[in-house]
Amino acid sequence: MTIDRRLEEKLGFDKVRALLSDRCSTDYALQRIAEETFSTKAADIRKRLLLTDEMRLIAMFEETFPTTGYIDALPFLVPLEKAGSSIDLLSLGKLKTLLDTVRRLVHFFSSIKDGIYPNLKRFSAKVMTFPEVLRRIDTILDKFGEVKDTASDELYAIRKSIRDKESALSKRAAALLRKAIDEGLADADAALSVRDGKLLIPINSSSKRKMPGFVHDTSATGKTTFVEPAEVIEIQNEISELHFAETREIARILYAFSEFVRPYVPDLEQAATYLGEMDFLMAKALTALDFKAGMPVISEDGQMNLRKARHPLLERALHKEGKEIVPLTVTLTPQKHLLLISGPNAGGKSVCLKTTGLLQYMFQWGMLIPTSETSELPVFDRIMVSIGDDQSLENDLSTYSSFLADMRQMLDRSDEKTLVLIDEFGSGTEPTAGGAIAEAILAEFDKRGVYGVITTHYTNLKLYAAGAETGVINGAMQFDAQHIVPLFQLEIGLPGNSFAFELARKMGLPEAVVKDAETRSGEEFVGIERNLRKIARNRRALDEKLQHIRNTDKTLESLTGKYQKELEGIRQMKKDILDDAKQKIETIEEGK
């Protein structure tokens, strides 16, 4: 499946990808994040979620789990497949890091009990650890990643000769400096100088011709000339030749190692891929911890129950401002599969819609989501959106034309395995016609069994959703009517009020103008709005009474249970007393 960049941008998943990328240590994991797609297969989604959830638990509780050493190895391993190729020193050090990290990971999972992190344990069980390759690297490299003197007999001899020559060079240069000072060619406090790797003697410029050698530099004042003595040049040339020999021997050692390791390369590439996958899973797990996310249940009966859902990007933004997000609960079923959310502007309708869409997308992408872990989500074949203004000057599309283009695409492809997300349904044109077209489209979605979250201000759509025979259910974003402020709480089952006239009064419009607007809107509209407010108040009062009754019922049940137990105890005591008395009477009668 190809990645729908427009959909991801509308939902905000492009920003989630960026957050995941920031957690990666390897280019492999970055590429996995860039290429991972939205899945429509429940088995694949479950596998992705289980692996991520186990890694999340590891990140939370396992202090011994390896969290460093995640490096890219495929760029230098793949070329090693070709005969005659050779690994370089830097890549050899990376290979050692790779093997050590893989060994620690495999050991971690092999040492834990069965049943703990079973999916990651199974994933790691088939990975090889290459102890012989690691042993061979250890014979070549020291702990600093440099080639050891003992990597070969020839290298040992070369480096010993280099040290001997360097010692002789130092001694000879020191002797020449003392001689130059004694002969007055150099100042009494002169010291040997090193320029570009050359050992130089500072000679008074007036006497520079008395010191056979090569002039390398002159001091800023011109009083001192730095000379490489002829006797030293020969020794330094010998040292240079030894360094060339050292380089050739190291190249030979690396080539010999490459020949040794070449048969292992395909398996090493698998180990490198495994390490990259673990880095990818760790990025997902750490992001889940950042989002305070958990693993939802995959629905098998078409139920969508998002409980205490939070938009992760909005929550991060609010947290920086010292604010708390209001969790949402969204429920869709095969019987009521379209949620129509209404309410005032800036009341949270779009946030609810985008939260539903983003979390569903994250879920089918294989990410844990910031909801209660009792949340239940179905698997959709597609998510389709109409969010924001997609008008195009190039294509001469107005806002409403863009909306209609979105609706055409949705009507072409949507079915009961589709989730549609439509913001400000039908707006952008003349209200009567726009409302009618929107209602006709809504009815078609309803007939097809399409799932969706739709926001609107249209009263005719609210009335359609109120019908008992439809698959659409109203939802209202709650509003504090007394203070005229949004509460950002979604209430399922009731249509929302636009609070247009109240907001107009709060913003200071003259009362006469607001009254005139109410009159012009017509008694029917005003009556509907007033009834919606009345229903909301009555519903809230009813919910409070029902909660009080439930609490009272629980108290009564508790008392009834207590008294029932005491009554049973009394009955049992009475029975024990009677049985004891009966036994005593029988004993007395037997004694007579």
Side-chain angles (χ1 to χ4, degrees):
M1 178 178 287
T2 58
I3 298 172
D4 188 338
R5 301 294 181 186
R6 174 183 176 271
L7 173 63
E8 291 195 356
E9 182 180 348
K10 291 292 183 181
L11 296 178
F13 190 75
D14 57 330
K15 295 181 177 63
V16 174
R17 277 192 197 266
L19 291 173
L20 285 166
S21 297
D22 291 341
R23 298 282 190 179
C24 295
S25 298
T26 63
D27 289 338
Y28 177 95
L30 284 171
Q31 186 174 353
R32 285 284 284 113
I33 287 168
E35 296 177 353
E36 187 77 303
T37 59
F38 174 91
S39 176
T40 59
K41 297 179 180 179
D44 289 345
I45 294 169
R46 182 176 287 106
K47 180 180 178 181
R48 294 180 186 183
L49 292 176
L50 287 171
L51 288 170
T52 305
D53 193 47
E54 289 180 7
M55 187 63 81
R56 176 181 68 97
L57 295 174
I58 286 173
M60 289 173 66
F61 301 117
E62 301 292 349
E63 294 182 358
T64 60
F65 184 80
T67 56
T68 59
Y70 292 81
I71 55 101
D72 290 295
L74 289 175
F76 64 81
L77 283 175
V78 173
L80 274 180
E81 294 177 0
K82 186 178 179 180
S85 61
S86 180
I87 195 168
D88 58 63
L89 188 59
L90 180 61
S91 296
L92 184 63
K94 289 182 177 180
L95 181 58
K96 179 179 180 180
T97 300
L98 165 76
L99 295 179
D100 185 59
T101 307
V102 169
R103 178 186 59 79
R104 290 185 293 134
L105 284 168
V106 171
H107 174 72
F108 174 85
F109 287 111
S110 64
S111 62
I112 60 176
K113 296 179 181 178
D114 291 339
I116 301 176
Y117 317 126
N119 293 281
L120 286 172
K121 185 179 176 77
R122 188 162 50 249
F123 181 48
S124 304
K126 58 187 177 183
V127 180
M128 300 173 63
T129 54
F130 310 98
E132 180 57 23
V133 176
L134 195 56
R135 187 194 67 78
R136 284 288 291 264
I137 295 175
D138 284 337
T139 65
I140 298 172
L141 297 182
D142 62 20
K143 62 181 180 179
F144 304 108
E146 300 295 333
V147 178
K148 294 179 177 179
D149 292 354
T150 55
S152 75
D153 293 341
E154 179 66 17
L155 183 64
Y156 182 86
I158 291 171
R159 286 184 172 174
K160 184 177 184 302
S161 295
I162 289 174
R163 287 191 293 270
D164 291 344
K165 291 290 183 182
E166 287 177 340
S167 177
L169 174 66
S170 179
K171 290 178 181 177
R172 186 57 189 154
L176 289 171
L177 175 62
R178 287 194 300 271
K179 181 179 177 183
I181 293 172
D182 292 342
E183 294 177 354
L185 303 180
D187 294 339
D189 59 349
L192 292 172
S193 177
V194 178
R195 304 279 178 94
D196 298 325
K198 304 292 185 179
L199 203 56
L200 311 178
I201 295 177
I203 301 294
N204 296 325
S205 295
S206 59
S207 304
K208 64 182 179 181
R209 297 189 183 279
K210 297 180 180 180
M211 169 67 73
F214 183 80
V215 175
H216 277 267
D217 199 3
T218 304
S219 66
T221 61
K223 292 182 178 180
T224 304
T225 298
F226 295 92
V227 178
E228 181 182 10
E231 294 182 45
V232 169
I233 293 175
E234 183 178 352
I235 300 175
Q236 286 195 329
N237 287 339
E238 292 175 359
I239 292 173
S240 295
E241 289 179 4
L242 285 170
H243 278 301
F244 283 129
E246 178 189 29
T247 301
R248 289 194 298 271
E249 178 60 15
I250 289 174
R252 188 199 67 77
I253 291 169
L254 293 176
Y255 182 79
F257 174 82
S258 300
E259 289 293 298
F260 156 75
V261 85
R262 208 174 316 280
Y264 295 94
V265 168
D267 292 327
L268 287 168
E269 289 174 358
Q270 291 183 13
T273 300
Y274 164 77
L275 192 65
E277 286 292 328
M278 297 300 282
D279 185 33
F280 169 62
L281 289 172
M282 182 62 74
K284 290 169 67 178
L286 293 175
T287 303
L289 289 175
D290 186 35
F291 288 169
K292 299 179 181 65
M295 179 174 162
V297 177
I298 299 179
S299 173
E300 297 180 357
D301 59 2
Q303 296 269 354
M304 174 191 275
N305 290 305
L306 278 173
R307 298 185 174 96
K308 298 181 180 179
R310 310 180 318 278
H311 193 292
L313 303 177
L314 176 60
E315 186 172 31
R316 284 167 61 91
L318 290 174
H319 181 71
K320 291 179 181 178
E321 299 175 8
K323 300 177 182 178
E324 295 292 330
I325 197 168
V326 179
L328 297 164
T329 294
V330 176
T331 300
L332 297 176
T333 68
Q335 295 73 38
K336 292 291 183 180
H337 46 89
L338 286 162
L339 174 61
L340 187 77
I341 305 176
S342 51
N345 287 326
K349 299 190 302 298
S350 297
V351 170
C352 181
L353 177 145
K354 290 181 179 179
T355 300
T356 303
L358 177 59
L359 298 195
Q360 182 70 41
Y361 195 95
M362 289 171 60
F363 160 73
Q364 291 193 227
W365 195 84
M367 288 188 70
L368 307 183
I369 59 175
T371 68
S372 164
E373 292 192 358
T374 60
S375 292
E376 188 176 11
L377 293 176
V379 176
F380 293 107
D381 287 344
R382 66 194 64 83
I383 298 175
M384 306 185 76
V385 301
S386 179
I387 301 173
D389 186 0
D390 278 341
Q391 62 178 309
S392 169
L393 294 176
E394 293 179 3
N395 298 325
D396 195 26
L397 287 178
S398 68
T399 301
Y400 191 65
S401 296
S402 177
F403 163 76
L404 291 177
D406 287 343
M407 293 305 102
R408 184 186 68 243
Q409 291 181 4
M410 289 183 181
L411 291 171
D412 285 344
R413 300 181 60 199
S414 60
D415 55 23
E416 71 280 358
K417 297 290 287 181
T418 303
L419 175 67
V420 299
L421 304 164
I422 307 172
D423 199 23
E424 298 295 345
F425 194 29
S427 63
T429 190
E430 192 275 322
T432 302
I437 292 173
E439 186 172 343
I441 295 171
L442 182 62
E444 181 63 22
F445 287 151
D446 185 10
K447 183 173 68 175
R448 296 186 187 186
V450 175
Y451 283 68
V453 178
I454 299 170
T455 71
T456 189
H457 288 290
Y458 285 152
T459 302
N460 65 309
L461 300 184
K462 303 177 196 178
L463 293 173
Y464 179 91
E469 302 302 320
T470 73
V472 187
I473 187 169
N474 272 306
M477 298 309 299
Q478 293 300 293
F479 206 78
D480 185 340
Q482 181 178 356
H483 299 95
I484 316 297
V485 292
L487 299 175
F488 302 107
Q489 295 174 349
L490 174 65
E491 185 171 14
I492 302 291
L494 287 178
N497 189 327
S498 66
F499 289 92
F501 301 124
E502 289 81 358
L503 286 169
R505 287 188 175 93
K506 182 182 180 183
M507 295 304 296
L509 264 65
E511 181 61 25
V513 173
V514 178
K515 284 286 187 183
D516 185 32
E518 288 179 332
T519 301
R520 290 175 183 276
S521 66
E523 278 299 319
E524 183 180 358
F525 175 79
V526 176
I528 290 173
E529 292 288 295
R530 286 173 178 166
N531 285 334
L532 287 174
R533 289 199 298 275
K534 184 177 179 181
I535 290 170
R537 286 196 298 269
N538 291 342
R539 175 66 180 271
R540 192 172 294 109
L542 179 60
D543 287 344
E544 290 174 359
K545 289 180 180 179
L546 286 174
Q547 187 60 45
H548 177 71
I549 291 170
R550 291 191 189 101
N551 292 337
T552 303
D553 284 346
K554 288 180 181 178
T555 303
L556 289 174
E557 286 176 8
S558 177
L559 289 172
T560 301
K562 178 182 177 182
Y563 292 141
Q564 188 68 33
K565 286 182 180 179
E566 289 180 356
L567 181 59
E568 288 295 329
I570 292 170
R571 287 174 178 167
Q572 184 63 42
M573 188 182 298
K574 178 181 177 183
K575 183 177 180 299
D576 292 343
I577 291 171
L578 290 174
D579 289 345
D580 184 56
K582 183 178 178 182
Q583 187 176 0
K584 287 181 179 179
I585 292 171
E586 290 176 354
T587 302
I588 292 169
E589 288 179 349
E590 288 175 1
K592 292 179 179 180

